[in-house]
Amino acid sequence: MSILILKNGLLFDGHNEELIDGGSIVIENGRIREVSEGDVSVNGADTIDLDGRFVMPGLIDAHFHAYSITFKMSVLDSMPMPQKVAHAARLLKGTLHRGFTTVRDPAGGEIGLHLAISQGLMEGPRFYYGGKALSQTGGHGDMRPANQRDDLCGCAANFTLTEVVDGVDAVRKFCRNELRKGADHIKVFISGGVASPTDPVWMPQYTNEEIEAAVYEAGTRRKYVVAHCHTDDGARRCIKTGVRSIDHCTMITEDTAKLIKEAEGRAYAVPTLAVIEQLVQHGEELGMFEESLEKAREVHRQAYASVEYLYRQGAKMGMGTDLFEERFHPMQSREFEFRADIVKPVDLLRSATSVNAEIMQKDGEIGCIKAGAFADLIAIETNPLDDIYCMSQPDEQFSMIMKGGEFVRNRL
């Protein structure tokens, strides 16, 4: 079996602020075999000199949508599936070449994309998917405008990212089927959202009993629930009902941030500032309705304070982006700079590596440099602990991107 040694690197293992200077990484069969503080010799191994470059685990985006082709859901939902997959292939390749070697798709991602990537038919990051996200009638995932009459069959439209499901028994059945199809997690919408046409952001969605049914069903497979949640009340309901990943967290108070900290190991926050900046800066050119633009401005007014509360209270924060439309996907790398005035660089790197891995129940496999983990690595020209803004320039700064021991980019 071929063995590769990367030597003479400045290694950040995904956890410790103390770096390994002059460290070496031994890679075999796509995984890390050994991490050493100095040079390593293995018979027959190829060796690459990192020349002191900063090396860290591949990045993880915990809120990414492969079918995030457009914010106009009626356009997305009317596309033929082959066209959607072609778009998804471009988005997945782009995110991998920005150093994100793993993504979690909590709405729309499905087994076909996972298999295409894992079988080498499509270039992309490790792909963890939740199937369609669950929405109540009139909730954030119900994209029917108010003037659309009910379908004659009494069911909702065929949405790409979501499914309208009402009632405890229906939630149970839908979750069981998504889990049967290999879903890594289940996602529910428990507050209003920006892009949806009929629900205010502050609106509570799903009863606690419905949420608990989803949590129970996910737990039977040792998996977990992700919640779309903007509101303070929603975040508290997540903690109460057993939701593990509280995504967006844009309008929470410091008291609730403290509760998330106290629930560490059971509940985590995953802010997504990139999509909020996208909507506020470019919402009009994206063709968003004025109602959605106003909701985006309302969320933006509170999102940064929420991140500050979470950080001040010591709550574990993952990193997600939630972007739509290919031309805006490069903003994915700017999530670091959007948080930079609030969060220390080392904690930003942890958010995008070890903390995301912990949230996704994949710690020890991704988001770290340690024996047994996947050899998902990036080498950076600038030390991001000195200048975090280098993370926003992956084309210029990332001289190596590796996924599973295979080079995606190699300028060493």
Side-chain angles (χ1 to χ4, degrees), residues 175-189:
C175 290
R176 287 172 181 175
N177 200 42
E178 293 303 284
L179 293 162
R180 176 191 68 81
K181 293 184 287 187
D184 173 73
H185 57 273
I186 294 293
K187 181 182 177 183
V188 296
F189 297 106

Side-chain angles (χ1 to χ4, degrees), residues 249-412:
C249 276
T250 47
M251 305 166 73
I252 68 169
T253 63
E254 189 155 10
D255 285 344
T256 298
K258 183 179 179 181
L259 292 177
I260 295 173
K261 165 61 179 175
E262 292 171 353
E264 186 174 308
R266 296 182 290 110
Y268 302 81
V270 182
T272 55
L273 298 182
V275 69
I276 299 169
E277 291 294 340
Q278 180 192 8
L279 290 169
V280 170
Q281 296 176 29
H282 305 286
E284 290 187 10
E285 64 182 283
L286 288 165
M288 303 293 289
F289 294 114
E290 179 55 38
E291 295 87 348
S292 290
L293 293 175
E294 179 50 41
K295 286 195 284 186
R297 289 189 284 266
E298 177 184 355
V299 165
H300 186 270
R301 282 191 288 269
Q302 302 180 60
Y304 284 86
S306 295
V307 171
E308 187 169 359
Y309 296 150
L310 287 161
Y311 191 57
R312 192 156 62 205
Q313 288 299 324
K316 282 194 173 180
M317 283 189 286
M319 184 175 287
T321 60
D322 197 22
L323 294 159
F324 278 69
E325 299 211 5
E326 185 175 4
R327 61 190 166 128
F328 292 106
H329 267 251
M331 289 181 72
Q332 184 181 36
S333 302
R334 298 184 63 195
E335 185 73 24
F336 294 93
E337 71 178 76
F338 295 141
R339 304 186 188 198
D341 288 340
I342 302 170
V343 181
K344 287 172 50 178
V346 67
D347 291 318
L348 287 172
L349 298 187
R350 288 172 177 143
S351 290
T353 55
S354 60
V355 175
N356 270 352
E358 182 179 342
I359 294 169
M360 294 166 60
Q361 300 176 328
K362 305 296 179 186
D363 41 329
E365 287 209 329
I366 58 175
C368 62
I369 298 178
K370 64 179 292 187
F374 286 114
D376 299 346
L377 304 163
I378 54 177
I380 309 172
E381 294 298 308
T382 301
N383 184 340
L385 299 184
D386 297 330
D387 180 10
I388 194 63
Y389 291 91
C390 72
M391 300 299 292
S392 299
Q393 302 171 317
D395 290 343
E396 298 82 8
Q397 288 285 336
F398 293 4
S399 50
M400 181 194 77
I401 302 171
M402 175 181 284
K403 176 194 165 191
E406 300 290 333
F407 288 109
V408 176
R409 174 184 302 160
N410 182 11
R411 300 176 187 156
L412 299 177

